[in-house]
Each structure stands twice: as C-alpha cells, then as structure tokens.
Amino acid sequence: MKSRRVASSLRHAQTALSCNNAAPAGFRRLTASTAAAAPATSPRALEQRQQATRRYFHDQTPRRSGAPSNPAIKFPCLDALETRSATLEKQAASTRSDESGPEPSYTVGATQVYHCQDSLLLDHGGQLHEFDIAYETWGQLNADRSNAILLHTGLSASSHAHSTPENPQPGWWEKFIGPGLALDTNKYFVICTNIIGGCFGSTGPSSIDPSDGKRYATRFPILTIQDMVRAQFRLLDHLGVGKLHASVGSSMGGMQSLAAGVEFPARVGRIVSISACARSHPYSIAMRYVQRRAILNDPHWNRGFYYGRVPPHVGMKLAREIATITYRSGPEWEQRFGRRRADASKPPALCPDFLVETYLDHAGEKFCLTYDPNSLIYVSKAMDLFDLGHDNQRATAARRAEYQHQHQHHTTTTGSTGSTGGGPACTLTLPDKPYQEQPESAMLSSLNTETTLPFHQGGSSGNSSGAPADLVSGLSALREHPVLVMGVASDILFPAWQQREIAEALRQGGNDGVQHYELSEEQSLFGHDTFLLDVEGVGGAVRGFLG
C-alpha cells in the first residue's frame, strides 16, 4: 500500500516537472535545485519539490490590504449578558463571605413563616430534620375550622397569590381571590404556601443547612410532589386545620392538589385540578430537561455552588425562554406577533429581531435574577417524577419504608441524625447503558401496549377507550371526593387529553362526582397560561364548583 502511495506521488511530481517549461523561471530554478539535492525518484526528493512549490506560490500571492469583505455582525444581546456578568462579578468581589453575594433574596415581600422542627423523610431517601414553610392567608378561619382552602402554586410562584396589608403588591392569582370571586374570602379561609425546594421563604437549595451554616446548594435532597404536600400538611397541623374544604391548584399546583387527596384522603373535601396531569408525560419531561440543561451548561452554575459568586443568569434566561414557548399557544402568537419585526426599517439581526423573539427575550430578562436556579432544577425534576399510578405509589411506599428503617437504625447506632446526611444516599444516576434507537417494528409494537398509549383524544365528555388500569387504581383513593378537572384545548404543555385522562380514570374507579370542563380554542387562545388569565372561564367554574 505504501509503495503504491509513493508511486502515485512520484507521478504527480513528474507531471509537475513536465510543466516546468511553462512555469516562471524562478520556479524552474527552485525545483531544479531541489532535484539536484536528492535522487529524483526518492520520497525525500518528492517532499522537497512539494515544499518548494508551496514556498514559491506563497511568495507570489498578492498581499491583501487587511480590510475584510464585510464588517463583523454586532451582538448587543451578548454584550448585555457580558456586562451583567461583569457587574455581578464586581458585586461578588466586594462581599466578605462566600455565603452572601450577588443573588437576590428571592422574596416578594412579607410572609408568615412556619418553622417545623420535626424531621421530614423524603421519597428518595433524603431527610430534612427541620424546615421552613412560607405562607400567606386571606379570609377568616371559622369556629369549627372547616372552611380552609389550600391553594397550590405553579413551579415558580411564591405564596403571594393575592395582595395583603403587609404586602400590597398584586399576587399571581389576584383576580381570583376575594369577596365573591373564585376563592370567596367571605366564605373561605385561603392558605397559599411556597413549596419546600422553592426560594421564596420556604427551605430550599438556597437555604442555610443548620448542620454546618452553609447553603445546601446541590447537597439538598431530591424532592417529589408528594414531599411538598406532606410539608404543607405539617403547616395545616400547626394551624389547627384537620380537614380542608378544598384543595385547589393549577399546573404543578394541580398535580399537588390531586396528590393531596391521594396522600391524605380523609383530610381533603373537594379537589380542583386545572391544566395538570396525574402522571408526567414525555413532552413536558423533555421540555423541562432542556431547561435544566441550559442551567447546568452555564459555566457559572459550578455544580450548584454559585452562591456568593456570579449566578448562572445566562442559563436561567435561556431556560425561561424555552419555558415561555410552552406556556402560550401558536394561535395566540399568530394574532399577537405574526411575522412582524421589532423594526422593519433596520437590517435583520441575529439578536432578538422578530417581535416574538423580543417577547421571549423580555420574559427571560425578567426571570433570570428573580428565581434561584437550583430551585428550578429541583422543582422541575419533582414534576418529572410525578406519577399517581398504582405501581409507582406501591414502589414509593416500599422505598420509604426501607429508608425509614435505615434512618431509624442509623439514629439508634450513632445517636445522631445530622441534617440531610447519615442515612441512605440520596441521588439520581445515569443508566448503565445509553439510549439506543429502537427498530421500527419494536416501536410500533410498544405503541400497542396500554402503558405507553396516550389517553384516547375523544370529546370533552370523556368518551374514550378507557384510562390505563394502573392510573384508575392509583386514583381510587378519590372515589368519594367531588373533583373538578379543567383543561384548555390550546395548551401544549399539559394537553387537554391529559385532563380527560384524569376525569376518565376517576369515573372508571367509581367516582360519580367528577366535573370536567375543557375550554376550546375559541374560548381561550392563551394556552397553558389560561389559568392565570381567564377570570370568567376558569374562575367561574371554580366558584360554581366550590359552592
């Protein structure tokens, strides 16, 4: 093989030499001198001739003036991010402690705080030996304490659902809470908490670990939606609320609302679940995954230990932009933005240029320094893990029993509990084998199984081929509970078929008290965010259901 390559190179060299008569005299002299230095057929002679050829044509290439063909494109959007990083770096450098720094306090005003000193065992083996729950209330608790409503939040919301005398700023559900509104404060005592894992006053990754005085960061244990609910019920115990009149929530809050009924069926009266699901599905898991990756890939994230330093604001901004795409709908954006550019009189830009791009950029800017990145990672992962199916509940119960035994054994043998450590390891790992593409035949076969087939997308009345038996069994604890399930046809994050799945699973389990409403695209184009905006459609249905 080597001899054939040498022969081929020699033939090319001979061809070049045969053209020497047509080449400039300088080139002929250069190649002649190199030919005399070594035998014409040797590899060394060939290499010398090739080098001589390259040197000659390099020397003959005209020198350019130095001016580029086109000016470099400017990126003011990247300049702004770099400027912010520099500002945050200076702020971090001016602080004396690694535990303070440029991060905001992540609070939205005055709240009440319940400090629980009883340990909380978590579903995946972690343990909080003490924790805070930030909460706010509206209305008055009646004499027999039977009019309490627990309002659950979405992923990034605080306990500030409505304005209070201590904090007059409008809350995230301002127009739904108050006299005569969806949550009528003339009738009900409304409680809203910041979830554990959050960053608005409740214990989360940005909180101080009492065992060593440093922030938890990614030493914080993995959470589930059910863990959040158990912490909330500790607060209810503290407030003397034995049974809720209703559990109400939208989006992640709708998941919590269902989980509250399943975990504490005797302590919950009515259940409202809006734009949620009973088990997370691949599309929403995928979208939350890329949001987390945007943060983890930000060099400032530093494995979660960025407190006192520059926070991963670039990754957070991108994560919020990705999320915002899922919160609204295509039809609304067609009407709101179309193909309009921010300034059609200017040349196109690679920074935000179309109106929809400027909208996403604005959403990311508002969010990137007002929510803790670690909280987003932990809470969104808890959403991914959510599954009220019977098999998952049974496996979780067995795992919790084993963890409880290990924690008790550790405490007995060491006489110490620590904060989150000391018991079983709390972590998630990569699978042993990476994902491999499936043959088409295997994919088609898997789609015919009940466990992977999405709920039949029938009408809003619930006509379908049936909900999965595993989910029917998992929701059986709610057989006697009045349940309101609402969905929105334009929702792409929690599509309306997922709410139909909840309603049908409840009905198949024998629940005759299910009310299911689905807002069509004609009724709402706002997609997933409809629960924040539609006071008449969403609010009216909730008010009517609560009575």
Side-chain angles (χ1 to χ4, degrees), residues 519-546:
L519 299 178
S520 66
E521 288 192 1
E522 289 74 20
Q523 292 172 297
S524 178
L525 293 177
F526 296 120
H528 187 63
D529 274 357
T530 296
F531 75 88
L532 295 170
L533 304 169
D534 193 343
V535 176
E536 181 178 346
V538 174
V542 172
R543 182 175 62 251
F545 174 76
L546 294 176

mmCIF file of all heavy atoms in Angstrom, residues 519-546:
data_model
loop_
_atom_site.group_PDB
_atom_site.id
_atom_site.type_symbol
_atom_site.label_atom_id
_atom_site.label_comp_id
_atom_site.label_asym_id
_atom_site.label_seq_id
_atom_site.Cartn_x
_atom_site.Cartn_y
_atom_site.Cartn_z
ATOM 1 N N LEU A 519 -61.902 24.146 27.925
ATOM 2 C CA LEU A 519 -62.073 25.393 27.190
ATOM 3 C C LEU A 519 -61.530 25.213 25.776
ATOM 4 O O LEU A 519 -60.371 24.822 25.590
ATOM 5 C CB LEU A 519 -61.331 26.531 27.897
ATOM 6 C CG LEU A 519 -61.800 26.860 29.328
ATOM 7 C CD1 LEU A 519 -60.946 27.961 29.934
ATOM 8 C CD2 LEU A 519 -63.265 27.259 29.345
ATOM 9 N N SER A 520 -62.354 25.496 24.791
ATOM 10 C CA SER A 520 -61.949 25.350 23.394
ATOM 11 C C SER A 520 -61.020 26.498 23.000
ATOM 12 O O SER A 520 -60.851 27.478 23.737
ATOM 13 C CB SER A 520 -63.183 25.352 22.486
ATOM 14 O OG SER A 520 -63.803 26.623 22.527
ATOM 15 N N GLU A 521 -60.428 26.390 21.801
ATOM 16 C CA GLU A 521 -59.559 27.468 21.323
ATOM 17 C C GLU A 521 -60.351 28.743 21.089
ATOM 18 O O GLU A 521 -59.804 29.846 21.183
ATOM 19 C CB GLU A 521 -58.839 27.039 20.042
ATOM 20 C CG GLU A 521 -57.757 25.998 20.275
ATOM 21 C CD GLU A 521 -56.872 25.802 19.062
ATOM 22 O OE1 GLU A 521 -57.082 26.498 18.045
ATOM 23 O OE2 GLU A 521 -55.961 24.955 19.124
ATOM 24 N N GLU A 522 -61.649 28.605 20.779
ATOM 25 C CA GLU A 522 -62.475 29.790 20.618
ATOM 26 C C GLU A 522 -62.673 30.491 21.963
ATOM 27 O O GLU A 522 -62.799 31.711 22.032
ATOM 28 C CB GLU A 522 -63.846 29.420 20.026
ATOM 29 C CG GLU A 522 -63.819 29.005 18.565
ATOM 30 C CD GLU A 522 -63.232 27.617 18.364
ATOM 31 O OE1 GLU A 522 -63.193 26.833 19.357
ATOM 32 O OE2 GLU A 522 -62.794 27.299 17.241
ATOM 33 N N GLN A 523 -62.673 29.698 23.054
ATOM 34 C CA GLN A 523 -62.866 30.278 24.385
ATOM 35 C C GLN A 523 -61.571 30.827 24.959
ATOM 36 O O GLN A 523 -61.585 31.776 25.745
ATOM 37 C CB GLN A 523 -63.440 29.217 25.337
ATOM 38 C CG GLN A 523 -64.871 28.806 25.002
ATOM 39 C CD GLN A 523 -65.314 27.628 25.834
ATOM 40 O OE1 GLN A 523 -64.764 26.525 25.746
ATOM 41 N NE2 GLN A 523 -66.336 27.840 26.659
ATOM 42 N N SER A 524 -60.446 30.229 24.598
ATOM 43 C CA SER A 524 -59.167 30.708 25.113
ATOM 44 C C SER A 524 -58.036 30.318 24.176
ATOM 45 O O SER A 524 -57.843 29.138 23.867
ATOM 46 C CB SER A 524 -58.889 30.126 26.499
ATOM 47 O OG SER A 524 -57.612 30.563 26.954
ATOM 48 N N LEU A 525 -57.263 31.325 23.760
ATOM 49 C CA LEU A 525 -56.078 31.106 22.939
ATOM 50 C C LEU A 525 -54.801 31.199 23.756
ATOM 51 O O LEU A 525 -53.706 31.150 23.212
ATOM 52 C CB LEU A 525 -56.014 32.153 21.817
ATOM 53 C CG LEU A 525 -57.095 32.089 20.746
ATOM 54 C CD1 LEU A 525 -56.906 33.242 19.753
ATOM 55 C CD2 LEU A 525 -57.040 30.770 20.000
ATOM 56 N N PHE A 526 -54.931 31.324 25.085
ATOM 57 C CA PHE A 526 -53.768 31.629 25.913
ATOM 58 C C PHE A 526 -52.958 30.402 26.322
ATOM 59 O O PHE A 526 -52.017 30.513 27.093
ATOM 60 C CB PHE A 526 -54.198 32.396 27.168
ATOM 61 C CG PHE A 526 -54.792 33.736 26.868
ATOM 62 C CD1 PHE A 526 -56.090 34.036 27.250
ATOM 63 C CD2 PHE A 526 -54.066 34.690 26.184
ATOM 64 C CE1 PHE A 526 -56.646 35.270 26.977
ATOM 65 C CE2 PHE A 526 -54.613 35.936 25.899
ATOM 66 C CZ PHE A 526 -55.903 36.226 26.294
ATOM 67 N N GLY A 527 -53.334 29.214 25.837
ATOM 68 C CA GLY A 527 -52.552 28.030 26.132
ATOM 69 C C GLY A 527 -52.511 27.708 27.613
ATOM 70 O O GLY A 527 -53.484 27.884 28.346
ATOM 71 N N HIS A 528 -51.343 27.253 28.067
ATOM 72 C CA HIS A 528 -51.204 26.814 29.455
ATOM 73 C C HIS A 528 -51.456 27.952 30.438
ATOM 74 O O HIS A 528 -51.958 27.728 31.551
ATOM 75 C CB HIS A 528 -49.805 26.235 29.662
ATOM 76 C CG HIS A 528 -49.613 25.600 31.005
ATOM 77 N ND1 HIS A 528 -50.333 24.495 31.415
ATOM 78 C CD2 HIS A 528 -48.791 25.914 32.052
ATOM 79 C CE1 HIS A 528 -49.970 24.147 32.645
ATOM 80 N NE2 HIS A 528 -49.028 24.992 33.050
ATOM 81 N N ASP A 529 -51.113 29.184 30.066
ATOM 82 C CA ASP A 529 -51.269 30.317 30.975
ATOM 83 C C ASP A 529 -52.722 30.754 31.163
ATOM 84 O O ASP A 529 -52.976 31.724 31.883
ATOM 85 C CB ASP A 529 -50.462 31.511 30.462
ATOM 86 C CG ASP A 529 -49.021 31.470 30.937
ATOM 87 O OD1 ASP A 529 -48.670 30.558 31.705
ATOM 88 O OD2 ASP A 529 -48.237 32.352 30.533
ATOM 89 N N THR A 530 -53.660 30.044 30.553
ATOM 90 C CA THR A 530 -55.071 30.409 30.695
ATOM 91 C C THR A 530 -55.478 30.459 32.159
ATOM 92 O O THR A 530 -56.271 31.317 32.572
ATOM 93 C CB THR A 530 -55.961 29.406 29.930
ATOM 94 O OG1 THR A 530 -55.665 29.511 28.534
ATOM 95 C CG2 THR A 530 -57.436 29.685 30.152
ATOM 96 N N PHE A 531 -54.957 29.577 32.983
ATOM 97 C CA PHE A 531 -55.363 29.539 34.390
ATOM 98 C C PHE A 531 -54.968 30.812 35.141
ATOM 99 O O PHE A 531 -55.506 31.107 36.207
ATOM 100 C CB PHE A 531 -54.783 28.302 35.085
ATOM 101 C CG PHE A 531 -53.311 28.377 35.406
ATOM 102 C CD1 PHE A 531 -52.859 28.920 36.591
ATOM 103 C CD2 PHE A 531 -52.376 27.861 34.520
ATOM 104 C CE1 PHE A 531 -51.505 28.976 36.889
ATOM 105 C CE2 PHE A 531 -51.016 27.897 34.809
ATOM 106 C CZ PHE A 531 -50.574 28.462 35.998
ATOM 107 N N LEU A 532 -54.020 31.575 34.594
ATOM 108 C CA LEU A 532 -53.622 32.839 35.206
ATOM 109 C C LEU A 532 -54.437 34.022 34.695
ATOM 110 O O LEU A 532 -54.443 35.087 35.325
ATOM 111 C CB LEU A 532 -52.140 33.116 34.922
ATOM 112 C CG LEU A 532 -51.122 32.158 35.530
ATOM 113 C CD1 LEU A 532 -49.738 32.427 34.958
ATOM 114 C CD2 LEU A 532 -51.111 32.277 37.053
ATOM 115 N N LEU A 533 -55.131 33.855 33.573
ATOM 116 C CA LEU A 533 -55.711 34.986 32.862
ATOM 117 C C LEU A 533 -57.228 34.961 32.737
ATOM 118 O O LEU A 533 -57.855 36.018 32.698
ATOM 119 C CB LEU A 533 -55.099 35.064 31.448
ATOM 120 C CG LEU A 533 -53.573 35.156 31.377
ATOM 121 C CD1 LEU A 533 -53.105 34.957 29.950
ATOM 122 C CD2 LEU A 533 -53.094 36.492 31.916
ATOM 123 N N ASP A 534 -57.813 33.775 32.655
ATOM 124 C CA ASP A 534 -59.238 33.665 32.331
ATOM 125 C C ASP A 534 -60.080 33.679 33.606
ATOM 126 O O ASP A 534 -60.435 32.632 34.155
ATOM 127 C CB ASP A 534 -59.505 32.399 31.528
ATOM 128 C CG ASP A 534 -60.896 32.374 30.902
ATOM 129 O OD1 ASP A 534 -61.758 33.157 31.339
ATOM 130 O OD2 ASP A 534 -61.122 31.568 29.997
ATOM 131 N N VAL A 535 -60.405 34.878 34.067
ATOM 132 C CA VAL A 535 -61.189 35.023 35.295
ATOM 133 C C VAL A 535 -62.598 34.491 35.107
ATOM 134 O O VAL A 535 -63.165 33.862 36.014
ATOM 135 C CB VAL A 535 -61.222 36.499 35.723
ATOM 136 C CG1 VAL A 535 -62.116 36.678 36.957
ATOM 137 C CG2 VAL A 535 -59.811 37.012 36.002
ATOM 138 N N GLU A 536 -63.165 34.691 33.933
ATOM 139 C CA GLU A 536 -64.544 34.271 33.700
ATOM 140 C C GLU A 536 -64.641 32.762 33.498
ATOM 141 O O GLU A 536 -65.440 32.091 34.170
ATOM 142 C CB GLU A 536 -65.111 34.986 32.476
ATOM 143 C CG GLU A 536 -66.562 34.627 32.188
ATOM 144 C CD GLU A 536 -67.122 35.380 30.996
ATOM 145 O OE1 GLU A 536 -66.481 36.364 30.569
ATOM 146 O OE2 GLU A 536 -68.191 34.992 30.495
ATOM 147 N N GLY A 537 -63.847 32.198 32.581
ATOM 148 C CA GLY A 537 -63.945 30.774 32.287
ATOM 149 C C GLY A 537 -63.435 29.904 33.414
ATOM 150 O O GLY A 537 -64.153 29.031 33.930
ATOM 151 N N VAL A 538 -62.192 30.124 33.831
ATOM 152 C CA VAL A 538 -61.594 29.325 34.894
ATOM 153 C C VAL A 538 -62.178 29.715 36.250
ATOM 154 O O VAL A 538 -62.633 28.865 37.032
ATOM 155 C CB VAL A 538 -60.064 29.473 34.899
ATOM 156 C CG1 VAL A 538 -59.452 28.765 36.107
ATOM 157 C CG2 VAL A 538 -59.474 28.931 33.606
ATOM 158 N N GLY A 539 -62.168 31.005 36.533
ATOM 159 C CA GLY A 539 -62.659 31.467 37.832
ATOM 160 C C GLY A 539 -64.121 31.135 38.064
ATOM 161 O O GLY A 539 -64.519 30.734 39.163
ATOM 162 N N GLY A 540 -64.945 31.288 37.024
ATOM 163 C CA GLY A 540 -66.365 30.993 37.165
ATOM 164 C C GLY A 540 -66.619 29.529 37.467
ATOM 165 O O GLY A 540 -67.473 29.186 38.308
ATOM 166 N N ALA A 541 -65.877 28.643 36.816
ATOM 167 C CA ALA A 541 -66.055 27.209 37.055
ATOM 168 C C ALA A 541 -65.637 26.839 38.471
ATOM 169 O O ALA A 541 -66.298 26.035 39.144
ATOM 170 C CB ALA A 541 -65.248 26.410 36.036
ATOM 171 N N VAL A 542 -64.546 27.421 38.958
ATOM 172 C CA VAL A 542 -64.084 27.122 40.314
ATOM 173 C C VAL A 542 -65.094 27.631 41.337
ATOM 174 O O VAL A 542 -65.440 26.916 42.304
ATOM 175 C CB VAL A 542 -62.696 27.744 40.560
ATOM 176 C CG1 VAL A 542 -62.291 27.600 42.023
ATOM 177 C CG2 VAL A 542 -61.653 27.108 39.653
ATOM 178 N N ARG A 543 -65.571 28.840 41.142
ATOM 179 C CA ARG A 543 -66.550 29.411 42.085
ATOM 180 C C ARG A 543 -67.810 28.548 42.151
ATOM 181 O O ARG A 543 -68.319 28.256 43.238
ATOM 182 C CB ARG A 543 -66.913 30.831 41.667
ATOM 183 C CG ARG A 543 -67.879 31.525 42.613
ATOM 184 C CD ARG A 543 -68.129 32.979 42.239
ATOM 185 N NE ARG A 543 -68.753 33.094 40.919
ATOM 186 C CZ ARG A 543 -68.137 33.553 39.840
ATOM 187 N NH1 ARG A 543 -66.875 33.943 39.922
ATOM 188 N NH2 ARG A 543 -68.760 33.628 38.692
ATOM 189 N N GLY A 544 -68.305 28.108 41.001
ATOM 190 C CA GLY A 544 -69.501 27.273 40.974
ATOM 191 C C GLY A 544 -69.280 25.913 41.626
ATOM 192 O O GLY A 544 -70.171 25.391 42.314
ATOM 193 N N PHE A 545 -68.098 25.351 41.443
ATOM 194 C CA PHE A 545 -67.813 24.029 41.997
ATOM 195 C C PHE A 545 -67.696 24.063 43.515
ATOM 196 O O PHE A 545 -68.163 23.159 44.211
ATOM 197 C CB PHE A 545 -66.525 23.484 41.384
ATOM 198 C CG PHE A 545 -66.050 22.194 41.983
ATOM 199 C CD1 PHE A 545 -66.679 20.998 41.669
ATOM 200 C CD2 PHE A 545 -64.972 22.173 42.863
ATOM 201 C CE1 PHE A 545 -66.239 19.796 42.223
ATOM 202 C CE2 PHE A 545 -64.529 20.973 43.416
ATOM 203 C CZ PHE A 545 -65.171 19.788 43.091
ATOM 204 N N LEU A 546 -67.072 25.122 44.046
ATOM 205 C CA LEU A 546 -66.859 25.199 45.489
ATOM 206 C C LEU A 546 -68.156 25.482 46.237
ATOM 207 O O LEU A 546 -68.265 25.185 47.423
ATOM 208 C CB LEU A 546 -65.806 26.268 45.816
ATOM 209 C CG LEU A 546 -64.391 25.968 45.319
ATOM 210 C CD1 LEU A 546 -63.476 27.140 45.628
ATOM 211 C CD2 LEU A 546 -63.850 24.692 45.942
#
